[in-house]
PDB file of all heavy atoms in Angstrom:
ATOM      1  N   ILE A1077       8.264  20.996  12.929  1.00 77.00           N
ATOM      2  CA  ILE A1077       9.010  22.155  12.451  1.00 77.00           C
ATOM      3  C   ILE A1077       8.332  22.775  11.248  1.00 77.00           C
ATOM      4  O   ILE A1077       7.958  22.089  10.344  1.00 77.00           O
ATOM      5  CB  ILE A1077      10.496  21.830  12.181  1.00 77.00           C
ATOM      6  CG1 ILE A1077      11.225  21.201  13.356  1.00 77.00           C
ATOM      7  CG2 ILE A1077      11.304  23.009  11.632  1.00 77.00           C
ATOM      8  CD1 ILE A1077      12.635  20.751  13.068  1.00 77.00           C
ATOM      9  N   ASP A1078       8.242  24.060  11.230  1.00 72.00           N
ATOM     10  CA  ASP A1078       7.608  24.759  10.072  1.00 72.00           C
ATOM     11  C   ASP A1078       8.665  24.898   8.912  1.00 72.00           C
ATOM     12  O   ASP A1078       9.537  25.768   8.997  1.00 72.00           O
ATOM     13  CB  ASP A1078       7.077  26.111  10.586  1.00 72.00           C
ATOM     14  CG  ASP A1078       6.302  26.852   9.416  1.00 72.00           C
ATOM     15  OD1 ASP A1078       6.156  26.207   8.287  1.00 72.00           O
ATOM     16  OD2 ASP A1078       5.851  27.976   9.679  1.00 72.00           O
ATOM     17  N   THR A1079       8.555  24.088   7.971  1.00 71.00           N
ATOM     18  CA  THR A1079       9.442  24.179   6.841  1.00 71.00           C
ATOM     19  C   THR A1079       9.223  25.375   5.924  1.00 71.00           C
ATOM     20  O   THR A1079      10.165  25.797   5.207  1.00 71.00           O
ATOM     21  CB  THR A1079       9.365  22.910   5.993  1.00 71.00           C
ATOM     22  OG1 THR A1079       8.032  22.699   5.524  1.00 71.00           O
ATOM     23  CG2 THR A1079       9.833  21.706   6.792  1.00 71.00           C
ATOM     24  N   ALA A1080       7.972  25.980   5.983  1.00 70.00           N
ATOM     25  CA  ALA A1080       7.672  27.059   5.123  1.00 70.00           C
ATOM     26  C   ALA A1080       8.383  28.304   5.521  1.00 70.00           C
ATOM     27  O   ALA A1080       8.771  29.144   4.698  1.00 70.00           O
ATOM     28  CB  ALA A1080       6.117  27.269   5.115  1.00 70.00           C
ATOM     29  N   ALA A1081       8.618  28.450   6.862  1.00 69.00           N
ATOM     30  CA  ALA A1081       9.242  29.644   7.374  1.00 69.00           C
ATOM     31  C   ALA A1081      10.698  29.774   7.091  1.00 69.00           C
ATOM     32  O   ALA A1081      11.203  30.838   6.718  1.00 69.00           O
ATOM     33  CB  ALA A1081       8.999  29.733   8.853  1.00 69.00           C
ATOM     34  N   ARG A1082      11.460  28.682   7.165  1.00 74.00           N
ATOM     35  CA  ARG A1082      12.877  28.737   6.997  1.00 74.00           C
ATOM     36  C   ARG A1082      13.414  27.922   5.821  1.00 74.00           C
ATOM     37  O   ARG A1082      14.593  28.020   5.429  1.00 74.00           O
ATOM     38  CB  ARG A1082      13.544  28.229   8.231  1.00 74.00           C
ATOM     39  CG  ARG A1082      13.437  29.157   9.446  1.00 74.00           C
ATOM     40  CD  ARG A1082      13.991  28.468  10.688  1.00 74.00           C
ATOM     41  NE  ARG A1082      13.055  27.481  11.109  1.00 74.00           N
ATOM     42  CZ  ARG A1082      13.422  26.561  12.009  1.00 74.00           C
ATOM     43  NH1 ARG A1082      14.684  26.515  12.433  1.00 74.00           N
ATOM     44  NH2 ARG A1082      12.583  25.689  12.482  1.00 74.00           N
ATOM     45  N   GLY A1083      12.593  27.206   5.114  1.00 80.00           N
ATOM     46  CA  GLY A1083      13.060  26.435   3.971  1.00 80.00           C
ATOM     47  C   GLY A1083      13.398  24.952   4.437  1.00 80.00           C
ATOM     48  O   GLY A1083      13.870  24.732   5.508  1.00 80.00           O
ATOM     49  N   PHE A1084      13.108  24.030   3.526  1.00 83.00           N
ATOM     50  CA  PHE A1084      13.276  22.619   3.851  1.00 83.00           C
ATOM     51  C   PHE A1084      14.767  22.300   4.120  1.00 83.00           C
ATOM     52  O   PHE A1084      15.068  21.549   5.054  1.00 83.00           O
ATOM     53  CB  PHE A1084      12.682  21.807   2.757  1.00 83.00           C
ATOM     54  CG  PHE A1084      12.600  20.343   3.097  1.00 83.00           C
ATOM     55  CD1 PHE A1084      11.905  19.853   4.179  1.00 83.00           C
ATOM     56  CD2 PHE A1084      13.223  19.360   2.280  1.00 83.00           C
ATOM     57  CE1 PHE A1084      11.834  18.509   4.462  1.00 83.00           C
ATOM     58  CE2 PHE A1084      13.227  18.032   2.537  1.00 83.00           C
ATOM     59  CZ  PHE A1084      12.459  17.621   3.658  1.00 83.00           C
ATOM     60  N   ALA A1085      15.683  22.744   3.315  1.00 84.00           N
ATOM     61  CA  ALA A1085      17.105  22.485   3.410  1.00 84.00           C
ATOM     62  C   ALA A1085      17.558  22.953   4.808  1.00 84.00           C
ATOM     63  O   ALA A1085      18.386  22.226   5.448  1.00 84.00           O
ATOM     64  CB  ALA A1085      17.850  23.101   2.300  1.00 84.00           C
ATOM     65  N   ALA A1086      17.222  24.148   5.241  1.00 86.00           N
ATOM     66  CA  ALA A1086      17.668  24.608   6.516  1.00 86.00           C
ATOM     67  C   ALA A1086      17.123  23.820   7.683  1.00 86.00           C
ATOM     68  O   ALA A1086      17.844  23.508   8.658  1.00 86.00           O
ATOM     69  CB  ALA A1086      17.192  26.107   6.709  1.00 86.00           C
ATOM     70  N   VAL A1087      15.920  23.323   7.507  1.00 83.00           N
ATOM     71  CA  VAL A1087      15.292  22.488   8.583  1.00 83.00           C
ATOM     72  C   VAL A1087      16.069  21.173   8.687  1.00 83.00           C
ATOM     73  O   VAL A1087      16.437  20.641   9.745  1.00 83.00           O
ATOM     74  CB  VAL A1087      13.800  22.256   8.304  1.00 83.00           C
ATOM     75  CG1 VAL A1087      13.336  21.088   9.167  1.00 83.00           C
ATOM     76  CG2 VAL A1087      13.003  23.505   8.501  1.00 83.00           C
ATOM     77  N   LEU A1088      16.395  20.566   7.555  1.00 87.00           N
ATOM     78  CA  LEU A1088      17.165  19.278   7.514  1.00 87.00           C
ATOM     79  C   LEU A1088      18.474  19.464   8.306  1.00 87.00           C
ATOM     80  O   LEU A1088      18.884  18.555   8.972  1.00 87.00           O
ATOM     81  CB  LEU A1088      17.381  18.772   6.097  1.00 87.00           C
ATOM     82  CG  LEU A1088      16.249  18.091   5.453  1.00 87.00           C
ATOM     83  CD1 LEU A1088      16.775  17.463   4.098  1.00 87.00           C
ATOM     84  CD2 LEU A1088      15.641  17.002   6.287  1.00 87.00           C
ATOM     85  N   ASP A1089      19.146  20.546   8.024  1.00 88.00           N
ATOM     86  CA  ASP A1089      20.448  20.755   8.641  1.00 88.00           C
ATOM     87  C   ASP A1089      20.374  20.824  10.194  1.00 88.00           C
ATOM     88  O   ASP A1089      21.392  20.565  10.867  1.00 88.00           O
ATOM     89  CB  ASP A1089      21.117  22.066   8.115  1.00 88.00           C
ATOM     90  CG  ASP A1089      21.509  21.954   6.669  1.00 88.00           C
ATOM     91  OD1 ASP A1089      21.733  20.735   6.213  1.00 88.00           O
ATOM     92  OD2 ASP A1089      21.628  22.939   5.969  1.00 88.00           O
ATOM     93  N   GLU A1090      19.156  21.052  10.673  1.00 88.00           N
ATOM     94  CA  GLU A1090      19.000  21.237  12.120  1.00 88.00           C
ATOM     95  C   GLU A1090      18.636  19.926  12.792  1.00 88.00           C
ATOM     96  O   GLU A1090      18.689  19.791  14.040  1.00 88.00           O
ATOM     97  CB  GLU A1090      17.945  22.320  12.489  1.00 88.00           C
ATOM     98  CG  GLU A1090      18.312  23.713  12.046  1.00 88.00           C
ATOM     99  CD  GLU A1090      17.213  24.679  12.337  1.00 88.00           C
ATOM    100  OE1 GLU A1090      16.201  24.249  12.943  1.00 88.00           O
ATOM    101  OE2 GLU A1090      17.371  25.861  11.880  1.00 88.00           O
ATOM    102  N   LEU A1091      18.240  18.927  12.081  1.00 90.00           N
ATOM    103  CA  LEU A1091      17.739  17.697  12.599  1.00 90.00           C
ATOM    104  C   LEU A1091      18.925  16.797  13.051  1.00 90.00           C
ATOM    105  O   LEU A1091      19.964  16.801  12.435  1.00 90.00           O
ATOM    106  CB  LEU A1091      16.968  16.941  11.577  1.00 90.00           C
ATOM    107  CG  LEU A1091      15.633  17.530  11.038  1.00 90.00           C
ATOM    108  CD1 LEU A1091      14.942  16.664  10.063  1.00 90.00           C
ATOM    109  CD2 LEU A1091      14.759  17.973  12.228  1.00 90.00           C
ATOM    110  N   SER A1092      18.689  16.106  14.129  1.00 92.00           N
ATOM    111  CA  SER A1092      19.707  15.157  14.603  1.00 92.00           C
ATOM    112  C   SER A1092      19.728  13.893  13.796  1.00 92.00           C
ATOM    113  O   SER A1092      18.815  13.656  12.971  1.00 92.00           O
ATOM    114  CB  SER A1092      19.466  14.843  16.043  1.00 92.00           C
ATOM    115  OG  SER A1092      18.274  13.987  16.140  1.00 92.00           O
ATOM    116  N   ARG A1093      20.774  13.069  13.945  1.00 92.00           N
ATOM    117  CA  ARG A1093      20.808  11.839  13.213  1.00 92.00           C
ATOM    118  C   ARG A1093      19.630  10.958  13.546  1.00 92.00           C
ATOM    119  O   ARG A1093      19.113  10.250  12.669  1.00 92.00           O
ATOM    120  CB  ARG A1093      22.122  11.153  13.518  1.00 92.00           C
ATOM    121  CG  ARG A1093      23.339  11.838  13.043  1.00 92.00           C
ATOM    122  CD  ARG A1093      24.627  10.924  13.316  1.00 92.00           C
ATOM    123  NE  ARG A1093      25.803  11.549  12.786  1.00 92.00           N
ATOM    124  CZ  ARG A1093      27.037  11.089  12.913  1.00 92.00           C
ATOM    125  NH1 ARG A1093      27.181   9.946  13.565  1.00 92.00           N
ATOM    126  NH2 ARG A1093      28.035  11.723  12.393  1.00 92.00           N
ATOM    127  N   ILE A1094      19.271  10.909  14.791  1.00 94.00           N
ATOM    128  CA  ILE A1094      18.120  10.127  15.187  1.00 94.00           C
ATOM    129  C   ILE A1094      16.796  10.575  14.492  1.00 94.00           C
ATOM    130  O   ILE A1094      16.029   9.820  13.945  1.00 94.00           O
ATOM    131  CB  ILE A1094      17.903  10.046  16.671  1.00 94.00           C
ATOM    132  CG1 ILE A1094      19.075   9.387  17.356  1.00 94.00           C
ATOM    133  CG2 ILE A1094      16.668   9.418  17.093  1.00 94.00           C
ATOM    134  CD1 ILE A1094      19.062   9.391  18.884  1.00 94.00           C
ATOM    135  N   GLU A1095      16.575  11.925  14.452  1.00 94.00           N
ATOM    136  CA  GLU A1095      15.442  12.442  13.825  1.00 94.00           C
ATOM    137  C   GLU A1095      15.462  12.151  12.313  1.00 94.00           C
ATOM    138  O   GLU A1095      14.383  11.833  11.703  1.00 94.00           O
ATOM    139  CB  GLU A1095      15.398  13.938  13.969  1.00 94.00           C
ATOM    140  CG  GLU A1095      14.971  14.361  15.430  1.00 94.00           C
ATOM    141  CD  GLU A1095      15.054  15.813  15.683  1.00 94.00           C
ATOM    142  OE1 GLU A1095      15.980  16.443  15.143  1.00 94.00           O
ATOM    143  OE2 GLU A1095      14.183  16.275  16.373  1.00 94.00           O
ATOM    144  N   LEU A1096      16.618  12.252  11.658  1.00 93.00           N
ATOM    145  CA  LEU A1096      16.715  11.963  10.184  1.00 93.00           C
ATOM    146  C   LEU A1096      16.424  10.567   9.941  1.00 93.00           C
ATOM    147  O   LEU A1096      15.707  10.243   8.974  1.00 93.00           O
ATOM    148  CB  LEU A1096      18.144  12.257   9.734  1.00 93.00           C
ATOM    149  CG  LEU A1096      18.446  13.799   9.479  1.00 93.00           C
ATOM    150  CD1 LEU A1096      19.959  14.005   9.295  1.00 93.00           C
ATOM    151  CD2 LEU A1096      17.709  14.332   8.319  1.00 93.00           C
TER     152      LEU A1096
END
Side-chain angles (χ1 to χ4, degrees):
I1077 299 177
D1078 185 3
T1079 58
R1082 286 173 290 164
F1084 189 58
V1087 168
L1088 278 189
D1089 291 338
E1090 296 176 5
L1091 297 182
S1092 68
R1093 291 183 180 180
I1094 293 176
E1095 288 174 321
L1096 282 169

